[in-house]
Amino acid sequence: MHSFEQVRLYLIVTPSLCRDMAQTVAAAIEGGVDAVQLREKCSDDAQYVRHARELVSVCAGAVPLLLNDRWDLVESTGADGVHLGQDDASIESVRRALGPDIVLGLSTHDRAEVQAARGRGADYVGLGPMFATGTKRLTRAPGGAALLASVLDATSLPIFPIGGIDIDSLPDLVAVGARRCAVSSAICAAGDPKGAAAILFSELSLFSGLGEK
Ligand code: TZP
Ligand code: MG
């Protein structure tokens, strides 16, 4: 089973933002991305499965590949886990259905949701939105570095801030204690996805003492 304890730079793949999805993800992994999630809202099942299998092959067991929402396709595609929102299928029932070995991620937005996540069976949490973003229609105001700072001691699970994080905004999060993050457009829409990933990864390492990969 893949653990998310060691994951630092989590790529949320938005296929429509990528010039070539497989090439973008392969380059991003070379640049330092160490976990990948397929997030594709408007595709039909056949296209979703095609993309998921393509990414399973790009990740090649070296980095975990999760599906957003589609827990029903985890086993048939060979993905390593699923990421769920607070209003998606219940994380408790998905854990029961898929067993202890899959990775389960949960979106959170405040301290109470972060605190509850481990007891609900999550292996990590996403926390957001941090900043304004065009990648997802937001229903909450971005919480920024203050939101992250307010939850860092609320769980022992890995916390991935998400939403509008790029090479310019990440240092504000690192300054309050971020050692990981999740990004989509900052890598998917970059002219040089490997270079973008490498810069984000090195920003995450600024104060970590964990050294370069
Ligand atoms: N959840 C909260 S914000 C967001 C998701 C999936 C979008 C992240 O994309 P980007 O391009 O890194 O802002
Ligand atoms: Mg969802």
Side-chain angles (χ1 to χ4, degrees), residues 12 17 39 128-129 132-136 138 162-165 182-186:
I12 313 302
L17 291 179
R39 182 174 184 275
T133 177
T135 308
K136 177 179 179 173
L138 299 182
I162 185 169
I165 299 173
V183 304
S184 189
S185 53

Side-chain angles (χ1 to χ4, degrees), residues 29-43:
I29 291 170
E30 279 181 40
V33 159
D34 46 15
V36 175
Q37 178 191 131
L38 173 61
R39 182 174 184 275
E40 184 166 31
K41 295 291 181 181
C42 299
S43 63

Side-chain angles (χ1 to χ4, degrees), residues 38-196:
L38 173 61
R39 182 174 184 275
E40 184 166 31
K41 295 291 181 181
C42 299
S43 63
D44 59 30
D45 278 13
Q47 174 165 310
Y48 193 99
V49 167
R50 231 181 359 261
H51 280 163
R53 292 202 169 125
E54 213 178 333
L55 290 183
V56 165
S57 146
V58 172
C59 293
V63 304
L65 185 262
L66 276 72
L67 306 181
N68 186 283
D69 290 346
R70 297 303 305 267
W71 65 271
D72 55 319
L73 298 176
V74 165
E75 287 177 334
S76 61
T77 58
D80 299 294
V82 63
H83 183 93
L84 297 169
Q86 294 283 331
D87 301 327
D88 294 325
S90 104
I91 187 167
E92 293 86 350
S93 54
V94 170
R95 176 64 83 196
R96 273 195 301 278
L98 297 182
D101 289 341
I102 62 135
V103 182
L104 265 181
L106 183 65
S107 295
T108 62
H109 312 90
D110 56 38
R111 192 175 169 89
E113 289 177 353
V114 171
Q115 271 174 329
R118 183 181 278 282
R120 299 187 62 194
D123 295 304
Y124 74 86
V125 297
L127 175 76
M130 288 292 119
F131 308 111
T133 177
T135 308
K136 177 179 179 173
R137 197 175 55 79
L138 299 182
T139 54
R140 297 165 192 258
L147 172 62
L148 177 62
S150 75
V151 309
L152 279 175
D153 66 344
T155 186
S156 54
L157 293 177
I159 299 173
F160 291 84
I162 185 169
I165 299 173
D166 59 19
I167 58 178
D168 297 321
S169 60
L170 181 56
D172 285 351
L173 303 181
V174 174
V176 301
R179 299 295 176 261
R180 323 166 189 269
C181 72
V183 304
S184 189
S185 53
I187 290 178
C188 289
D192 171 12
K194 177 179 172 181

